[in-house]
DNA sequence: AGTGCTGGTCTCTTTTTGAGACTAACATAT
DNA sequence: ATATGTTAGTCTCAAAAAGAGACCAGCACT
């Protein structure tokens, strides 16, 4: 019965959940989603899901990210608890980035979305072509 | 057997899929993911998954989006084939936005991610608190 | 004649991102 | 001994994107 209520609940309620007044603006779900909805997060998560990487390896793996944005995105992913950063006292020092348990947990659904993109990028590209042709 | 090969394939390969030289830079999957990895797309998809909305309704539903970004995000979602835009010849004219089949298809995995965020935003917020306390 | 509603566009300012030089400490090559 | 490369960044400045808010046309209602 409670389950029924949950099912009937408007999907938007999930976005509002936890913000008493039904206010979308300061919503914890948005807060979390926006942390991973940026240009580089999903790509770096995808890389680190494969195996841990060092800073320079990631830079070579993703050649069109700037060093500045790589630093910053990794920092943000670490702050949100998805990524673990470990410094090894080699000379010169090396830093390894790996997914935490929380990161692996989040990567599950993220990977579903990436797989959808793999299967459907043809449809999306076709839609764009049609749209661009129609408006000029 | 083919399934085994797919399973063994590096996860990053999905991101590279289709770009012959293994080049991540112009990859169709990135192209699609970046179309929905921006500040407002997932929120508007969530709203339109509930039911079709008119422009002004969306604006009131998401009070902190600027009119300019609402126009632009809806335009981009329409271009990628997720959203249908229909103009009704009322006075003044009204415009209704709704999900297409492709949009509903994409919303499946997206919604999984949003649900993850709902379940885990506590952990993320806690991680941020710990991180911020540790570095000052 | 004035006001309001519609779904936008235009301009200006602030924020975010990108490109690239610069750092320090050590290893290796010349 | 001196030059060069490696590491993981930071710093500065330019370019792009986003936000704030004025403005628009067409019509209804008062």
């Amino acid at each position: 019965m409670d389950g029924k209520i949950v099912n009937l609940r408007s999907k938007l309620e999930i976005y509002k959940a936890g913000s008493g007044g039904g206010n979308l603006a300061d919503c914890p779900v948005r807060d979390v989603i926006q942390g991973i909805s940026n240009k580089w997060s999903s790509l770096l998560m995808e890389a680190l899901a494969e195996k841990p990487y060092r800073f320079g390896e990631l830079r070579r793996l993703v050649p069109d990210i700037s060093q500045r944005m790589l630093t910053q995105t990794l920092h943000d992913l670490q702050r949100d608890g998805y990524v673990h950063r470990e410094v090894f006292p080699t000379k010169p020092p090396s830093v390894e980035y790996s997914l935490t348990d929380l990161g692996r947990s989040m990567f599950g659904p993220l990977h579903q979305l990436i797989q959808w993109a793999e299967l459907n990028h043809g449809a999306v590209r076709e839609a764009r072509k049609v749209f661009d042709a129609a408006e000029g």
Side-chain angles (χ1 to χ4, degrees), chain A:
Chain A
M1 301 198 168
D2 237 48
K4 229 172 193 166
I5 291 178
V6 169
N7 286 339
L8 287 173
R9 201 175 58 161
S10 137
K11 282 181 181 143
L12 260 185
E13 289 300 322
I14 295 179
Y15 250 115
K16 297 183 202 167
S19 62
N23 174 9
L24 274 175
D26 48 353
C27 155
V29 174
R30 266 178 80 177
D31 189 35
V32 171
I33 292 292
Q34 295 200 348
I36 55 186
S37 292
N38 57 57
K39 190 164 179 181
W40 302 108
S41 293
S42 61
L43 182 51
L44 293 179
M45 286 294 298
E46 181 79 3
L48 294 175
E50 188 194 18
K51 68 184 184 71
Y53 277 106
R54 291 177 47 192
F55 186 89
E57 291 177 318
L58 286 171
R59 209 157 80 82
R60 284 185 289 276
L61 200 60
V62 186
D64 58 339
I65 195 175
S66 67
Q67 212 162 351
R68 189 181 156 285
M69 286 313 293
L70 181 54
T71 303
Q72 186 179 309
T73 305
L74 287 170
H75 176 272
D76 293 349
L77 289 174
Q78 187 195 353
R79 188 173 101 99
D80 282 6
Y82 304 129
V83 161
H84 172 70
R85 176 180 186 271
E86 188 159 9
V87 182
F88 293 98
T90 57
K91 309 284 174 74
S94 58
V95 180
E96 188 182 86
Y97 293 91
S98 55
L99 289 196
T100 61
D101 287 345
L102 189 68
R104 267 183 293 276
S105 159
M106 188 273 273
F107 182 69
L110 178 61
H111 191 231
Q112 296 295 111
L113 194 59
I114 292 169
Q115 281 187 318
W116 184 93
E118 188 191 16
L119 286 170
N120 295 91
H121 65 80
V124 172
R125 285 162 107 80
E126 181 61 25
R128 281 184 197 160
K129 218 175 65 181
V130 169
F131 185 89
D132 292 347
E135 53 146 38

